[in-house]
Amino acid sequence: MGIEFQDIEQEDRTGSEDPFSNVGVIFFGEDGSWQAQRTGTGFTAAGEGVPQRLEPGLWVADMGYDQVRAISKELRGMTMRSDSWLKLSIDQIRTAFGLSGKRPDQSLPVIATIAHRVYRLSQEALRDNMGDLRYKSPHEFQSQMERAASLATAIATVNAPAVARTGSSEKRVIEHFTRTYQAGMYIGGRKEPPDDHINLAFHFPRLTYARRITEEDVPASSIWQIANRKDHQSVEDFLENMRQTGRPAIYKAVCQPGEGYVPEHVQVFANGLNTSMGDTHRTRFIDEEIKLLARHYKVSVEGVVAGSKWCPSATGQLLRSLEAAAGGADAARASWSVGLAAENILASALRAARKESPGQTAEAVWIAARDRAAMMPAIEALAEVGASLVSAHYGNITVRCPLDIELLMLVVDAAWECGLILPLESVELLRQMGVPIPAEPSLFGGNDVDYLLSAVVHRRQRNALWSLDGIMDLPADERARQFRILTSA
């Protein structure tokens, strides 16, 4: 009998037969040639000039936005995005796997496979939350993801209904959100180091860091009220009384330097000093920021805008789904691709899903502030041994160091003790310079579950790095078992 019956209540549930959207990667040569690969479908092609024989759908090119935009005008039936679509550029991924300088035919299969894994894992996390996001089928959001300017923006677009639960319809409340919002820390003019310096790009284990930033509740959509400090009430008493209410709060405050020197990275934390947007003297902060700034400034709090309730982070829920899909905590944290998927999910919280500006939801405001506050202890530790901040965002901390072997040893050791790690090519470069790279478990400042991948990178074990990541090519229900087999051999 050629009829298959299905319970009505099961009709809209996702089954294993629902296909995933796929992404391909295309490399362009200086001579006008190109090579393309889409791991999810097994498609490969090569040619010259403008590509005309590619599979329809989403492709990422190893080019900047302006170059891709020019080529895209001549393409039909496909969407091409720039090399930063995965948030990390293709060059950064090459650096992470030691592929710089390799021929395109050697590096393309690796980059294409990484892109496939990260995109697939991100979709698995979203599928796990379809009911909460009011989707009946993955087909309803996959086309949105393919059209988005980046993966983080794609995730933000699909997850928008959940994040909107922390928004507000009141114009004045939104104004407070946007005045409080500040993402990352950057110091202008330091992207390229002088000849006698080097920039080192450290990062925390990405999934653990993203989980940490999103594990606490964020303000829910609610009525926001204004409270002012009474004349006879001290700032300390006012803050303590507000904290005792347990309500989410945005403080109106002015930070004035005391007699002591305020470190440069603290100035950047407070006011966005020397950023590409110029100095931005902020007067709105959340509690995590006030606590940190009070160590260096005289903080005068004049008033507060307070919400009435909290709710779990929608971004945090996606990250929990990602970890579960990847095979649980151990398998997930041993995978480089899972980490990059986690960073894209974290970044999605700070991306505007539609035409509004970033920072119009409480979730974006609180996650951005918690991200910056969480990085400050490591930034301070690196500054104490002679490094200067270049940038810090999403757990990625880039510092500038003089080309002095002994100082570089101190910086790398301090980073390891904070739980920070380097990309594989930076490890190789420093070793060639004579700088020992730490990998001792007793000195590692991160969580035990993150030590395996961190040590694999610091010991330059490329094969182990790739084998651990390859677990993500298996069906979701086989990943945990394969991780146990691989690590017990």
Side-chain angles (χ1 to χ4, degrees):
M1 183 177 179
I3 300 175
E4 180 181 349
F5 290 95
Q6 182 183 30
D7 291 345
I8 291 175
E9 64 201 35
Q10 300 287 333
E11 180 183 12
D12 293 328
R13 295 190 182 177
T14 302
S16 59
E17 71 278 0
D18 289 305
F20 284 84
S21 173
N22 286 292
V23 62
V25 175
I26 181 167
F27 285 178
F28 288 90
E30 295 181 358
D31 59 356
S33 63
W34 55 266
Q35 300 178 47
Q37 178 171 326
R38 179 176 277 163
T39 301
T41 62
F43 176 86
T44 60
E48 296 182 355
V50 177
Q52 298 293 348
R53 297 184 290 107
L54 298 181
E55 284 185 342
L58 178 62
W59 290 88
V60 175
D62 63 341
M63 290 180 167
Y65 173 78
D66 291 337
Q67 293 172 294
V68 166
R69 186 178 180 185
I71 293 176
S72 295
K73 295 178 180 179
E74 302 183 50
L75 302 176
R76 296 292 181 270
M78 55 176 287
T79 301
M80 185 175 290
R81 297 299 181 218
S82 68
D83 76 337
S84 60
W85 184 83
L86 283 166
K87 191 179 176 302
L88 294 188
S89 68
I90 287 177
D91 278 344
Q92 287 175 306
I93 298 174
R94 285 192 182 105
T95 297
F97 283 86
L99 296 172
S100 295
K102 301 291 185 181
R103 299 194 314 269
D105 62 313
Q106 294 175 314
S107 60
L108 177 59
V110 176
I111 303 297
T113 300
I114 292 295
H116 165 73
R117 290 171 183 165
V118 174
Y119 191 33
R120 169 74 176 247
L121 288 161
S122 301
Q123 292 178 76
E124 290 179 15
L126 288 167
R127 288 182 179 214
D128 190 50
N129 294 273
M130 282 202 312
D132 290 340
L133 298 175
R134 303 169 193 166
Y135 293 104
K136 294 182 178 180
S137 165
H139 300 294
E140 296 181 32
F141 61 77
Q142 283 178 180
S143 60
Q144 298 180 56
M145 296 189 73
E146 292 178 2
R147 292 194 302 269
S150 68
L151 178 56
T153 303
I155 297 168
T157 301
V158 179
N159 202 36
V163 174
R165 297 167 195 162
T166 71
S168 175
S169 58
E170 295 293 330
K171 183 176 180 181
R172 294 185 68 180
V173 174
I174 294 174
E175 182 181 347
H176 282 293
F177 286 169
T178 56
R179 292 183 69 178
T180 310
Y181 176 80
Q182 180 173 319
M185 294 175 278
Y186 303 90
I187 298 183
R190 292 188 180 172
K191 188 174 182 180
E192 299 297 330
D195 292 340
D196 56 348
H197 284 69
I198 185 174
N199 284 358
L200 296 177
F202 296 96
H203 68 84
F204 287 104
R206 292 188 168 97
L207 175 57
T208 293
Y209 183 81
R211 288 290 308 274
R212 173 187 172 189
I213 299 305
T214 59
E215 66 183 356
E216 295 185 19
D217 288 350
V218 295
S221 181
S222 62
I223 295 174
W224 288 73
Q225 297 175 307
I226 295 175
N228 294 310
R229 180 166 65 91
K230 297 177 182 178
D231 292 339
H232 66 275
Q233 190 178 33
S234 70
V235 170
E236 292 77 15
D237 288 344
F238 180 67
L239 286 170
E240 183 58 30
N241 290 342
M242 271 305 307
R243 287 164 183 161
Q244 288 177 0
T245 69
R247 297 175 63 171
I250 293 174
Y251 294 93
K252 181 179 180 182
V254 175
C255 299
Q256 296 178 328
E259 295 181 358
Y261 169 71
V262 179
E264 180 183 56
H265 55 270
V266 177
Q267 297 179 52
V268 176
F269 181 90
N271 290 316
L273 181 71
N274 294 331
T275 66
S276 60
M277 301 299 291
D279 293 359
T280 55
H281 297 283
R282 302 169 63 218
T283 58
R284 302 292 190 278
F285 307 92
I286 72 167
D287 193 41
E288 285 91 332
E289 296 173 296
I290 293 290
K291 289 177 179 177
L292 194 150
L293 292 170
R295 294 163 43 196
H296 301 276
Y297 291 96
K298 179 182 178 182
V299 180
S300 178
V301 177
E302 302 301 328
V304 65
V305 180
S308 56
K309 59 183 180 180
W310 300 86
C311 68
S313 162
T315 309
Q317 175 55 41
L318 279 187
L319 288 163
R320 288 189 289 274
S321 294
L322 172 68
E323 181 179 296
D330 291 333
R333 284 165 172 77
S335 165
W336 194 91
S337 292
V338 171
L340 185 51
E343 187 166 315
N344 273 274
I345 291 174
L346 179 61
S348 75
L350 311 189
R351 299 294 173 93
R354 297 181 179 87
K355 292 184 179 180
E356 66 266 19
S357 301
Q360 291 198 9
T361 65
E363 176 141 0
V365 173
W366 259 253
I367 286 179
R370 287 169 177 169
D371 172 39
R372 293 183 302 110
M375 293 184 289
M376 284 299 283
I379 294 171
E380 290 173 347
L382 295 173
E384 286 177 1
V385 293
S388 301
L389 180 66
V390 175
S391 64
H393 206 184
Y394 305 122
N396 300 293
I397 301 174
T398 300
V399 294
R400 174 177 292 183
C401 307
L403 283 172
D404 178 276
I405 301 301
E406 292 184 358
L407 188 146
L408 288 171
M409 290 170 60
L410 292 174
V411 170
V412 173
D413 286 345
W416 181 253
E417 292 169 9
C418 290
L420 290 165
I421 57 177
L422 286 161
L424 195 147
E425 280 192 6
S426 295
V427 170
E428 293 188 337
L429 174 62
L430 289 172
R431 285 178 65 92
Q432 290 171 8
M433 294 170 58
V435 178
I437 304 299
E440 300 87 348
S442 61
L443 299 178
F444 182 56
N447 296 336
D448 290 345
V449 73
D450 291 308
Y451 175 73
L452 174 59
L453 181 60
S454 302
V456 161
V457 172
H458 272 209
R459 289 171 176 160
R460 301 178 298 160
Q461 295 172 325
R462 284 189 183 85
N463 292 339
L465 177 64
W466 191 247
S467 295
L468 289 168
D469 205 56
I471 293 171
M472 296 306 129
D473 293 334
L474 297 172
D477 57 0
E478 297 179 20
R479 292 166 181 164
R481 176 176 174 272
Q482 182 59 31
F483 174 79
R484 290 192 296 270
I485 293 172
L486 191 63
T487 54
S488 63

